């Protein structure tokens, strides 16, 4: 297991960064002793601990039977986790009605929406949010959406995305949000897997200066659903987003796609006469809330399923403590809601706390490279949460674009999605945070629902590059290859020994896959798939994936998924994909392709293959390197030796033990033809 190191960096765990005293004065967890005390309670008396958290929320009726019940051991029966089972509640009621009616936050801003273009923005109060959500919940009901129905959402970062998710939650439907950068093929696959009978999309979106026709991609996805499984969606609701802002009618007209009168309806048409009042559907604590797909090592994405009560409690508490939330904060998470970070820390966690957030549609470098810093100044953002890849990208432009803006409002900085290299950490700390703001490296996954290993800003002395310590209720362990728990300083598999409220409950429609993926390798433990090192002070350092998964700009991709997109090309016989370190993206894709007999490799074919992957999966999966591989290095039993391919991709000369290879000459050929030039 090797530590993922960004080129040109050296990990350092020497210097401790202590929490600023200013922050400790009124922090929820003001020092390390308080953290330890509460942590002990959360592990030793989980029921008491979470019952107190639950008291802050509304329950139509209390849990029946045990408050927390679980089995993590596959050898003793089905793996399952039940939290407050039998209690009746509604998450939308808890994060909207409760704020408006009980907490007197109706006039408070829930979101400052900032468009792709700086001239587009608006603010939405809790009152307004509740009304829009109720109106859309009534639309869904009128269309026949019922408790348990799956609704696909394929929207850009606009308020309607939040309205749609919360309207589903209000009527007890299960939302399945698909990141609006995914291809029609990926959207189709996700709609079919969870049999979504409704789709909510938009006419289009500008990302930077690029116009993306979301309606056309949605139409293609729905056609593919019919072709593949004769599956017909009941309704497709389209938000008029580009149409709203058209300043050039010709561009807009040429952009429109055919209208299917059987299924298509405009969002604003159906919303026009919809009532602003909608009684929430009271659902069980363990009823499904949403499905969110994440890459799986077999290539087929997994529908990670989260349930209502545990997810509510956990996202609410992690948001409160990790960002040390206070009522006058303006919080901004730059993630897209199409990923788990946006679900937990743009939609549910902040709203559960009655927070004010920025909802940003655009990209970090449009219309200029100081856009992030400009927005922080504009809204006086106090808590800022982004990805290491964004920091590495913005670091390239130096300090000047940052210094143009007043970032004096900032108090806490966070990162998520991938390991942060110490250089990026220090730049973020020194330049953006002006040495005043702790940088929180939060480790978690789609599956964990919320932060699991994370610093707390006023309590945890920081080490750049370390996610530090477990959150309340989370009991990590490091195992060796034989499944033995390692004590003290150690490196191995990161696992968790007991559930926390927001752990995923199943893979939608495939519980066996859930058990096989996360619980089979080491019975009795949840296996994260990440490697981890614990240092002499007990700090946890995530070392990167130890399965066939890649992390490109904070997005997980499976090698199998990319390989199958490549082998669908008519001239490709076989493909093997590995990761190569990348200065901005963290990792990038390096693909080896073996062509069918008689086919010639060329630069234009490489470009065609990149395009193919882009179209099959989406732009995030675009390979950086395609190398011709007359043959792939295989063991005598026919298994591709990925370790060797990874080393070739990284131009490592010492390839280690090659004795198990069927034909060692293959490696020489590949090494001599390494694709150094095209990035
Ligand atoms: O490999 C870890 C990496 O991202 C994976 C989870 O990806 P996803 O489900 O898409 O969720 C990303 C946002 C929560 C993890 O298994 N990862 C996430 N955060 C970190 C990280 N690796 C190192 N340090 C982190 N802080």
């Amino acid at each position: 297991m090797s530590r993922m190191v960004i080129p040109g960096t050296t990990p350092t765990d020497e210097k401790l960064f202590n929490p600023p005293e200013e922050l400790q004065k009124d922090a929820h967890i003001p020092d390390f002793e308080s953290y330890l005390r509460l942590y002990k309670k959360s592990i030793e008396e989980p029921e008491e601990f979470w019952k107190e958290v639950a008291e802050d929320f509304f329950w139509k009726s209390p849990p029946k039977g045990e408050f927390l019940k679980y089995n993590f051991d596959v050898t003793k029966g089905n793996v399952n986790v039940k939290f407050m089972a039998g209690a009746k509640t509604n998450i939308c009621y808890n994060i909207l009605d409760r704020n408006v009616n009980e907490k007197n936050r109706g006039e408070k801003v829930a979101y400052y929406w900032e468009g792709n273009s700086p001239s587009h923005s608006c603010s939405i109060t809790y009152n307004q949010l509740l009304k829009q959500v109720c109106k859309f919940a009534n639309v869904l009901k009128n269309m026949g959406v019922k408790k348990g129905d799956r609704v696909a959402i394929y929207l850009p970062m606009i308020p309607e995305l939040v309205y749609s998710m919360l309207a589903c939650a209000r009527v007890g439907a299960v939302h399945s949000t698909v990141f609006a950068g995914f291809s029609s093929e990926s959207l189709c696959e996700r709609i079919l897997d969870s049999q979504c009978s409704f789709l909510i999309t938009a006419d289009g979106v500008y990302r930077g200066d690029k116009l993306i026709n979301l309606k056309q991609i949605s139409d293609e996805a729905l056609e593919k659903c019919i072709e593949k499984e004769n599956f017909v969606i009941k309704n497709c609701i389209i938000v008029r987003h580009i149409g709203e802002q058209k300043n050039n009618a010709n561009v807009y007209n040429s952009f429109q796609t055919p209208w299917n009168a059987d299924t298509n309806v405009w969002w604003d048409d159906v919303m026009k006469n919809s009532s602003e009042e909608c009684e929430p559907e009271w659902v069980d604590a363990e009823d499904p809330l949403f499905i969110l797909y994440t890459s799986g090592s077999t290539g087929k994405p997994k529908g990670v399923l989260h349930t209502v009560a545990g997810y509510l409690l956990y996202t609410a508490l992690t948001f409160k403590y990790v960002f040390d939330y206070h009522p006058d904060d303006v919080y901004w998470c730059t993630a897209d809601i199409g990923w788990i970070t946006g679900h937990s820390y743009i939609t549910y966690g902040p709203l559960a706390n009655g927070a004010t957030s920025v909802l940003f549609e655009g990209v970090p470098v449009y219309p200029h490279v100081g856009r992030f810093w400009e927005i922080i100044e504009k809204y006086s953002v106090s808590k800022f949460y982004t990805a290491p890849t964004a920091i590495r990208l913005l670091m390239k432009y130096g300090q000047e674009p940052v210094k143009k803006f007043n970032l004096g409002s900032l108090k806490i900085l966070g990162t998520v999605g991938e390991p942060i290299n110490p250089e990026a950490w220090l730049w973020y700390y020194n330049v953006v945070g002006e040495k005043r703001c702790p940088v929180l490296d939060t480790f978690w996954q789609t599956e964990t629902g919320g932060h699991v290993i994370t610093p707390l800003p006023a309590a945890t002395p920081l080490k750049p590059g370390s996610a530090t310590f477990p959150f309340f209720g989370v009991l990590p362990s490091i195992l060796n290859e034989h499944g033995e728990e390692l004590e003290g300083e150690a490196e191995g598999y990161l696992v968790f020994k007991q559930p926390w409220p927001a752990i995923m409950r199943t893979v939608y429609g495939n519980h066996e896959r859930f058990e096989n993926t996360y619980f089979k390798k080491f019975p009795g433990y949840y296996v994260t798939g990440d490697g981890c090192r614990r240092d002499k002070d007990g700090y946890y350092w995530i070392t990167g994936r130890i399965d066939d998964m890649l992390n490109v700009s904070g997005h997980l991709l499976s090698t199998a998924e990319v390989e199958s997109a490549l082998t669908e090309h008519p001239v490709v016989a076989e493909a093997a994909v590995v990761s190569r370190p990348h200065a901005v993206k963290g990792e990038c894709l390096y693909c080896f392709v073996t062509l069918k007999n008689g086919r010639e490799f060329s630069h234009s074919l490489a470009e065609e293959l990149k395009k193919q992957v882009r179209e099959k999966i989406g732009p995030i999966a675009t390979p950086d390197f395609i190398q011709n591989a007359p043959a792939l290095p295989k063991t005598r039993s026919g298994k591709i030796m990925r370790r060797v391919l990874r080393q070739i991709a990284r131009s490592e000369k010492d390839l280690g033990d090659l004795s198990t290879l069927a034909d060692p000459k293959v490696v020489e050929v590949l090494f001599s033809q390494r694709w150094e030039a095209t990035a």
Side-chain angles (χ1 to χ4, degrees), residues 163 185 212 287 289 359 440-441 451 524 539:
Y163 304 158
E185 182 91 21
I212 296 152
D287 272 337
L289 173 62
L359 183 63
L440 313 175
D441 172 2
H451 307 135
Y539 281 67

Side-chain angles (χ1 to χ4, degrees), residues 294 339-341 385 388 415-420 441-448 453 465 467 528-530 542-545 551 554-556:
T294 186
W339 307 107
I340 190 70
T341 307
Y385 194 30
T415 69
V416 57
E418 46 179 323
I420 179 161
D441 172 2
T442 63
F443 167 81
W444 56 296
Q445 308 176 298
T446 306
E447 294 88 336
T448 68
I453 298 192
T528 59
D530 284 292
I542 309 302
T543 54
R545 300 294 306 182
N551 192 325
H555 302 311
L556 273 196

Side-chain angles (χ1 to χ4, degrees), residues 471-515:
F471 189 75
F472 304 124
V474 174
L475 189 56
S477 185
I478 297 181
L479 304 186
N480 65 15
E481 192 55 54
H482 310 294
E484 291 154 353
E485 287 192 25
L486 303 175
E487 301 293 332
E489 262 185 274
E491 183 162 353
Y493 294 88
L494 176 65
V495 300
F496 296 116
K497 294 168 72 165
Q498 63 184 45
W500 56 96
I503 186 175
M504 71 184 287
R505 299 301 197 260
T506 191
V507 168
Y508 184 80
N510 196 344
H511 197 69
E512 204 182 334
R513 190 170 179 205
F514 169 64
E515 295 180 334

Side-chain angles (χ1 to χ4, degrees), residues 383-396:
K383 313 282 164 80
F384 180 64
Y385 194 30
T386 193
T389 185
I391 298 163
R392 289 193 295 266
L393 171 74
L394 297 171
M395 260 170 87
K396 286 200 313 196

Side-chain angles (χ1 to χ4, degrees), residues 457-476:
T460 316
L462 303 169
K463 295 186 185 190
S466 167
T468 74
F469 299 107
F471 189 75
F472 304 124
V474 174
L475 189 56

Side-chain angles (χ1 to χ4, degrees), residues 223-238:
E223 257 162 47
K224 286 185 179 136
C225 289
I226 298 173
E227 273 164 32
K228 288 190 181 180
E229 288 188 15
N230 204 15
F231 181 85
V232 185
I233 202 111
K234 288 190 184 142
N235 275 114
C236 175
I237 305 160
I238 303 124

Side-chain angles (χ1 to χ4, degrees), residues 568-637:
E568 277 177 40
H569 191 284
V571 309
V572 176
E574 199 172 14
V577 176
V578 296
S579 98
R580 179 179 148 124
H582 186 283
V584 172
K585 302 184 201 176
E587 290 178 53
C588 69
L589 302 180
Y590 193 111
C591 312
F592 294 87
V593 290
T594 306
L595 303 185
K596 289 184 180 157
N597 267 346
R599 300 298 183 147
E600 283 283 309
F601 189 80
S602 66
H603 184 72
S604 65
L605 175 65
E607 289 308 309
E608 215 176 285
L609 291 174
K610 286 183 187 178
K611 188 159 161 260
Q612 161 116 353
V613 178
R614 202 183 159 86
E615 282 171 3
K616 290 267 165 207
I617 305 174
I620 48 166
T622 310
D624 279 42
F625 299 89
I626 308 267
Q627 177 176 337
N628 183 29
L632 291 168
K634 292 187 182 166
T635 59
R636 286 185 194 93
S637 58

